Amino acid sequence: MKQTESLRSLLSREAFAQKQDNPTPLYMQVAGVLRTLIETGRLVPGEALPSERTIAETTALSRVTVRRGIDLLVREGVVRQRRGSGTYVSTPVERFEQPLAAITSFSEDMISYGRQPATRWLAREFASPSAREAMTLGLSPGDRVARLHRLRLADDLPLAVELAIVPARLFSSLETLGDSLYEALAAAGARPHKALQRMHACALPEFEAALLKAEPGEPALYLERVSRTGDGAIVEFTRSHYKGDRFDFVAELNLEPSQNV
């Protein structure tokens, strides 16, 4: 009853009448009203949304419009769909802010949040680099690398899958390598001082999805980082997949005094 009353009051036909002062597409209006129901607690985590048919009948909108609105919320992670069951309000998840203005390790970031970082090794070996890895690290023919493939966790929560490639000359052995690569690099006299990092959205590959307890194709963040020491030597080439619903990457921007806007 509560749900039906909320729908009739907030998803009324009049609420979605196309007006000259509201050019927002109808499907986005549907998503916005459902989002409001969730944010105000009238639809709670784990609760099923009304069916597309019910929403369409209540709003006098087409089911195609309603479906597009719900699909938008699915992409945002606000709701999730279970095949053959329905659409449910997602349980809020803790998000971590990762600054882009400084070089920090995953372990340092998690400790700053009061979480216990951990590593599950997927591969830890000396190997020949791929052509791209050799070119990125500036290696000579015959040089080898340390291939460090890890699942990164915080309090047993899987957050990222990282593949770090480091010149083999920096480590005499990998058996004693701890959770923090940057601590190991610092001990080897090769602590990174600057890095170039690229980031883009991607669909989570099947291998990484299984490790992160996610579904293949879920939104994720893919990062590539190339780090250098103070004298310019490249000491790290890391590729990572981060769960898209867990991280916010934050950069502080400053306007130069000479610039005008």
Side-chain angles (χ1 to χ4, degrees), residues 67-136:
R67 185 176 299 117
R68 289 186 67 192
I70 292 176
D71 286 346
L72 178 59
L73 295 180
V74 170
R75 292 195 298 271
E76 293 176 357
V78 177
V79 301
R80 67 185 189 283
Q81 293 178 322
R82 298 177 187 168
R83 183 171 299 179
S85 177
T87 304
Y88 296 82
V89 179
S90 298
T91 300
V93 297
E94 180 180 2
R95 298 185 67 88
F96 301 94
E97 282 194 359
Q98 186 162 345
L100 295 176
I103 300 177
T104 57
S105 70
F106 179 90
S107 297
E108 291 170 336
D109 291 335
M110 293 304 106
I111 290 172
S112 71
Y113 287 112
R115 309 296 290 266
Q116 181 62 44
T119 294
R120 184 181 305 162
W121 287 99
L122 306 174
R124 178 171 40 177
E125 60 187 1
F126 290 117
S128 298
S130 68
R132 186 185 179 205
E133 291 164 354
M135 182 178 65
T136 301

Side-chain angles (χ1 to χ4, degrees), residues 18 32 44 56 64 127 137 151 189 202 213 216 219 222 261:
Q18 293 190 17
V44 299
V64 172
L137 293 170
L151 173 65
C202 72
K213 298 181 180 180
Y222 175 78
V261 294

